[in-house]
Amino acid sequence: MARYTLEELASKISGAKIENCADPKKVQVESVSPVNPGVANSISFLANKKMLNEAKKTASSIVLTTSEFAKELEVPCLVVDKPELILAQVLDLIYPPHKFENKVETNAFVHPRAKIGKNCYIGNFASVAEDAEIGDNVILEDGVRIGRGAKIGEGSHIGPNNVIHHGVIIGKRFRSFGNCTVGGDGFRFVFANGKHNKIPQVGTVIVGDDVEMGSNSAIDRGGLENTIIGDGCKFDNLVHIGHNCVLGKNVVIAGYTGIAGSTTIGDNVTIGGGCGVADHIGIPSGTIVGGGTSVRNTLSKPDIYVGWDYGLTFPEFQKLRVNIKNVVNFQKWARRIKALESKLGISSEE
């Protein structure tokens, strides 16, 4: 961890201002902590009014917040427009990320026909196959496998034990964590002669810039066409993208979600955790799919969708829940009606 005074910290963040502090040279910070309860010599952040009362009682030495909230506090404040965004800068300053050397470890393997850019790190037991191209400032952590003819864009950081298969093209500033696979075969078989016969997958995967993959995620290569991942997509752990899928820009997918093959997803789509998306369908730009939802048909318009296999918007699903409850309760109501009719001597025809 690094230690800063409030004055030093403010000088490193563009546009930051100091409020509620007479002498920012004397206020020290060496960690980041939650605003409740807070920790001495730490900085906390406040971006939500719901936490304002907790911030008023915080033990932290500094609060990263907006000018509006700073007026409600007595603790020294580092004032910015977007505290949650600036928090990333603060974390990097106080907890500097590990810097990898410009080095190829002695037990790594780089094929003589591979091209390695400037200032790269290739870790222990990593391997780079023939005709692969690695851009400048790329980190390949231990155990990474880069297949023949694959291309890795500059500034990328590929986590331990990742496999980037042959012919895959990855853009700039790609980030992946442990045990990811890009470009494995798509899941396609034909059942004949009493067995499942594999269909070769001859497409590849093309990944845009600024894409991130969580641990144990996988993107399958295309069958005849390519699987395409747009710029700025972010995938949580255990996300699977099937063959021939086309994802637009800034798609966010939470953990345990699977996207079946040949599905098209527009820009700025958010898909919650534990979702299942069927093959050969479309999800329009701007759509939100709630966690645990199963999408089995093309969605007609951008909206918030929830449920199992209904493809309903949130208001439609709420109506369905009411109707299901009414159906479940109907037998109870019917018994009560029959009991009342019996007491009143009313005979009803079945």
Side-chain angles (χ1 to χ4, degrees):
M1 293 185 293
R3 176 186 286 268
Y4 294 93
T5 66
L6 177 53
E7 182 180 69
E8 291 169 336
L9 196 60
S11 70
K12 293 182 177 295
I13 298 172
S14 178
K17 298 178 181 179
I18 297 170
E19 294 189 16
N20 305 337
C21 185
D23 191 352
K25 293 181 180 179
K26 292 184 178 180
V27 179
Q28 300 275 333
V29 58
E30 61 183 10
S31 65
V32 180
S33 67
V35 72
N36 182 21
V39 178
N41 295 325
S42 76
I43 182 170
S44 299
F45 85 100
L46 171 66
N48 191 319
K49 192 173 183 178
K50 292 180 180 179
M51 297 297 293
L52 181 57
N53 287 334
E54 283 78 1
K56 290 178 179 180
K57 300 178 288 186
T58 187
S60 295
S61 300
I62 305 169
V63 173
L64 174 68
T65 189
T66 63
S67 179
E68 175 190 1
F69 291 140
K71 294 174 183 177
E72 303 286 332
L73 302 174
E74 296 181 1
V75 64
C77 292
L78 185 61
V79 173
V80 296
D81 290 335
K82 297 181 178 180
E84 287 182 296
L85 184 61
I86 299 302
L87 177 63
Q89 294 183 41
V90 172
L91 288 167
D92 278 345
L93 287 167
I94 296 176
Y95 306 94
H98 175 72
K99 291 186 177 181
F100 289 84
E101 301 178 67
N102 176 16
K103 181 181 181 182
V104 177
E105 297 288 359
T106 56
N107 50 10
F109 171 77
V110 177
H111 194 278
R113 292 210 309 267
K115 296 179 181 178
I116 309 298
K118 300 175 182 177
N119 195 33
C120 292
Y121 174 79
I122 301 178
N124 295 295
F125 305 105
S127 66
V128 182
E130 67 268 31
D131 301 321
E133 298 180 16
I134 309 298
D136 296 342
N137 304 306
V138 167
I139 297 166
L140 306 181
E141 291 200 50
D142 295 350
V144 168
R145 165 65 177 172
I146 306 297
R148 63 187 184 280
K151 297 180 180 179
I152 310 297
E154 65 182 56
S156 294
H157 183 159
I158 298 180
N161 301 316
N162 277 212
V163 178
I164 310 299
H165 285 269
H166 64 278
V168 168
I169 300 173
I170 289 179
K172 300 175 184 177
R173 298 175 297 278
F174 176 77
R175 181 70 170 100
S176 63
F177 292 84
N179 306 306
C180 293
T181 300
V182 182
D185 270 6
F187 190 69
R188 189 179 181 189
F189 298 85
V190 173
F191 188 80
N193 302 319
K195 65 177 182 178
H196 295 284
N197 298 272
K198 185 175 180 60
I199 304 299
Q201 305 290 283
V202 297
T204 189
V205 179
I206 300 175
V207 178
D209 297 338
D210 301 302
V211 171
E212 181 168 314
M213 292 178 65
S215 300
N216 300 296
S217 293
I219 303 172
D220 290 347
R221 71 190 313 107
L224 297 177
E225 299 178 321
N226 298 327
T227 302
I228 298 175
I229 309 298
D231 295 346
C233 289
K234 312 295 182 186
F235 306 145
D236 194 2
N237 302 332
L238 295 158
V239 167
H240 175 226
I241 309 296
H243 63 179
N244 295 353
C245 285
V246 177
L247 275 61
K249 297 179 180 179
N250 303 317
V251 175
V252 175
I253 303 178
Y256 287 96
T257 286
I259 312 296
S262 299
T263 287
T264 299
I265 298 177
D267 297 340
N268 304 307
V269 169
T270 299
I271 301 177
C275 292
V277 179
D279 58 291
H280 294 83
I281 67 170
I283 297 179
S285 296
T287 295
I288 297 174
V289 179
T293 297
S294 175
V295 182
R296 300 199 178 189
N297 300 291
T298 291
L299 303 179
S300 60
K301 62 178 181 178
D303 209 317
I304 301 174
Y305 291 86
V306 294
W308 298 282
D309 58 358
Y310 305 114
L312 302 178
T313 66
F314 184 71
E316 290 168 344
F317 179 67
Q318 292 293 76
K319 290 179 183 178
L320 178 66
R321 289 180 62 194
V322 171
N323 289 335
I324 291 173
K325 184 176 181 180
N326 289 342
V327 170
V328 170
N329 289 331
F330 179 77
Q331 291 298 327
K332 180 174 65 176
W333 298 337
R335 287 194 296 270
R336 292 176 63 186
I337 291 169
K338 286 182 179 180
L340 288 171
E341 288 177 338
S342 177
K343 288 182 179 180
L344 296 173
I346 300 173
S347 61
S348 58
E349 296 181 0
E350 294 295 335

